[in-house]
Amino acid sequence: MAAIPVPAGQHRPQTSTLSDVDLVPLAKMGDESAIRTIVQRHNQRLFRTARAVIRNDWEAEDVVQAAYTKAFTNLAAFRGEAQLSTWLTRITLNEALGRVRARKNTTGLKEIDMQMTAPGGEVLQFPSSLSATDPETELSRSQARHLLENAVDELPDDFRAVFVLRDVEGMSTEEAASYLGIRPETAKTRLHRARKMMRQSIERKLSGAFSALFPFDGARCAYMADRVIAALDDDTR
């Protein structure tokens, strides 16, 4: 796809600084830079949206790619009545939900469960704005992230979609309800139940680890005994 030529002497601002409103006309004309900017700008939201429905990283990426392809192929149909992010998210949701429906029509429930729990289907990326200061800190963050990701994956489909759009993507209840085609009251109810199930899941996973909190054994325990003996010896002198 060739970029649109810019006449000599005419300066065009970097596409990364342009709003979606300004990028859309350029993308409609096939401007590669504009298309790349749109993709990079909306990748995270669309991946999270697809991942909330599909529960598999590689297939979610495939969904996002297909959604972008459909969007840019039919960009002439975009009239700007809604935000570009809204339009792209709806296309992504439709693509993801369509794949789930097709899979359920052609695959037994047992096989679906196997697909959902296959390697590569456990991870939902929650990027952190904080940089790790050391390997131990990074390991702790990774473990916490995987705990949350697995808890999200265990949510029923309808609840998981609302939870990701509201609590991960930060949408309002009205926005999430609009994307999912449900009433705001329904979205609120599902979100409340999703949060409750998340808490219960995390508590269940952590309950067995409480007995290991604040360990004081091994060398630390022996050293304390040495300190006590030494202190008692000092008192008897």
Side-chain angles (χ1 to χ4, degrees), residues 5-54:
V6 179
Q10 180 179 340
H11 174 72
R12 193 183 78 180
Q14 292 289 326
T15 53
S16 60
T17 65
L18 298 178
S19 67
D20 284 349
V21 173
D22 294 325
L23 288 171
V24 168
L26 296 174
K28 285 182 177 180
M29 293 186 290
D31 187 294
E32 182 176 333
S33 179
I35 292 173
R36 286 183 180 275
T37 299
I38 290 173
V39 170
Q40 292 169 0
R41 183 173 294 174
H42 298 284
N43 266 339
Q44 179 168 285
R45 167 174 285 190
L46 299 193
F47 175 76
R48 284 174 167 175
T49 300
R51 184 60 177 74
V53 177
I54 296 296

Side-chain angles (χ1 to χ4, degrees), residues 69-81:
T69 301
K70 288 183 178 180
F72 288 120
T73 300
N74 297 282
L75 198 55
F78 178 69
R79 305 299 182 187
E81 297 171 354

Side-chain angles (χ1 to χ4, degrees), residues 7-179:
Q10 180 179 340
H11 174 72
R12 193 183 78 180
Q14 292 289 326
T15 53
S16 60
T17 65
L18 298 178
S19 67
D20 284 349
V21 173
D22 294 325
L23 288 171
V24 168
L26 296 174
K28 285 182 177 180
M29 293 186 290
D31 187 294
E32 182 176 333
S33 179
I35 292 173
R36 286 183 180 275
T37 299
I38 290 173
V39 170
Q40 292 169 0
R41 183 173 294 174
H42 298 284
N43 266 339
Q44 179 168 285
R45 167 174 285 190
L46 299 193
F47 175 76
R48 284 174 167 175
T49 300
R51 184 60 177 74
V53 177
I54 296 296
R55 290 197 295 180
N56 180 286
D57 280 8
W58 68 265
E59 191 172 358
E61 290 185 17
D62 193 39
V63 166
V64 172
Q65 179 180 329
Y68 276 131
T69 301
K70 288 183 178 180
F72 288 120
T73 300
N74 297 282
L75 198 55
F78 178 69
R79 305 299 182 187
E81 297 171 354
Q83 292 185 356
L84 181 64
S85 60
T86 301
W87 191 66
L88 291 173
T89 302
R90 285 174 179 162
I91 293 174
T92 303
L93 269 175
N94 288 337
E95 178 70 20
L97 292 171
R99 294 193 182 206
V100 170
R101 285 192 293 268
R103 184 164 57 201
K104 287 182 178 179
N105 289 337
T106 58
T107 311
L109 292 177
K110 183 176 180 180
E111 292 176 72
I112 291 175
D113 290 339
M114 291 176 63
Q115 291 172 6
M116 293 301 191
T117 56
E122 306 89 353
V123 181
L124 172 63
Q125 298 293 333
F126 288 90
S128 172
S129 59
L130 301 175
S131 58
T133 55
D134 55 67
E136 184 175 352
T137 301
E138 179 61 26
L139 176 61
S140 298
R141 286 178 182 163
S142 177
Q143 292 172 336
R145 178 170 58 81
H146 279 282
L147 178 66
L148 289 171
E149 290 166 352
N150 289 333
V152 171
D153 272 348
E154 291 176 358
L155 293 173
D157 293 349
D158 291 340
F159 297 153
R160 187 173 62 255
V162 171
F163 178 83
V164 170
L165 293 179
R166 280 284 284 110
D167 284 359
V168 179
E169 272 304 300
M171 292 186 187
S172 68
T173 300
E174 290 71 21
E175 282 182 302
S178 175
Y179 284 131

